[in-house]
Amino acid sequence: LTIIGERNRTVRAIDAQTGKDIWKSEALDPLPVAGITGTPVIFGQQVFVPLTSGEEGTASQDSYECCRFQGSLAALDLRTGKKLWQTKTLTEPLRSLGKNSAGTPIWGPAGGAVWSAPTVDARRRLVYVATGDSYTEAPTKGADAIVAMDMATGRIRWSNQVTENDNFI
């Protein structure tokens, strides 16, 4: 079995012997700027999938309502590709932050993308992810952090922000 995370926000399971598709997941984020760049990790009967985005680049357009993406980790069933849980790395809810100089609405907090593969801690039954920067000026604790999530539920057990106020936009 080969698992592939695709830039279009889906995961595909392929038979390693024949190359035939076994299953394809649903899109794991509604935003077209989101994607998967980190390697999905298999542990037991779960596939852990990190979600990231290219929203920082898209945000350079004054007409784009920046920024709505919040990084996450999804757990899929290895046999079916069905989503078991998905947890955002930012715990603050998305909210309106006003308008930019062109009058386009802006949102936040956003960011906290997970660009790399998660790490499984079998003994503690945790999955760790490292998150990227904040995309807005809205304060958040989940960006630039190491986050530990419960493997069974996705509940955040702890989060350690390494760099505060690292806002790209």
Side-chain angles (χ1 to χ4, degrees):
L1 184 68
T2 299
I3 302 291
I4 299 169
E6 301 179 303
R7 186 68 181 141
N8 69 0
R9 309 168 322 274
T10 63
V11 177
R12 189 179 298 259
I14 298 171
D15 184 305
Q17 299 296 318
T18 66
K20 292 184 179 180
D21 282 343
I22 297 171
W23 54 257
K24 182 176 179 178
S25 75
E26 64 182 273
L28 297 176
D29 195 285
L31 295 174
V33 294
I36 300 168
T37 58
T39 303
V41 172
I42 299 171
F43 182 79
Q45 294 301 308
Q46 290 177 293
V47 180
F48 298 104
V49 184
L51 277 291
T52 189
S53 84
E55 191 168 46
E56 289 172 311
T58 306
S60 65
Q61 302 168 25
D62 284 340
S63 61
Y64 181 74
E65 291 191 21
C66 183
C67 287
R68 293 178 182 261
F69 175 80
Q70 294 184 327
S72 66
L73 182 71
L76 307 181
D77 182 286
L78 180 62
R79 292 175 298 268
T80 65
K82 179 183 176 197
K83 184 167 56 173
L84 303 171
W85 55 260
Q86 187 164 4
T87 300
K88 291 184 177 187
T89 59
L90 306 183
T91 56
E92 299 89 355
L94 190 65
R95 66 183 187 280
S96 171
L97 297 177
K99 295 185 179 187
N100 67 17
S101 59
T104 305
I106 54 175
W107 302 89
V114 183
W115 292 93
S116 59
T119 300
V120 171
D121 183 341
R123 187 168 63 82
R124 291 180 183 85
R125 305 290 299 163
L126 296 174
V127 182
Y128 305 105
V129 295
T131 67
D133 60 342
S134 169
Y135 296 176
T136 68
E137 297 294 329
T140 183
K141 300 271 186 224
D144 287 320
I146 308 300
V147 182
M149 297 178 194
D150 183 279
M151 292 169 81
T153 65
R155 184 178 65 82
I156 294 177
R157 291 267 189 91
W158 56 261
S159 180
N160 180 5
Q161 188 173 36
V162 179
T163 305
E164 293 182 17
N165 301 316
D166 181 18
N167 304 320
F168 181 78
I169 302 297

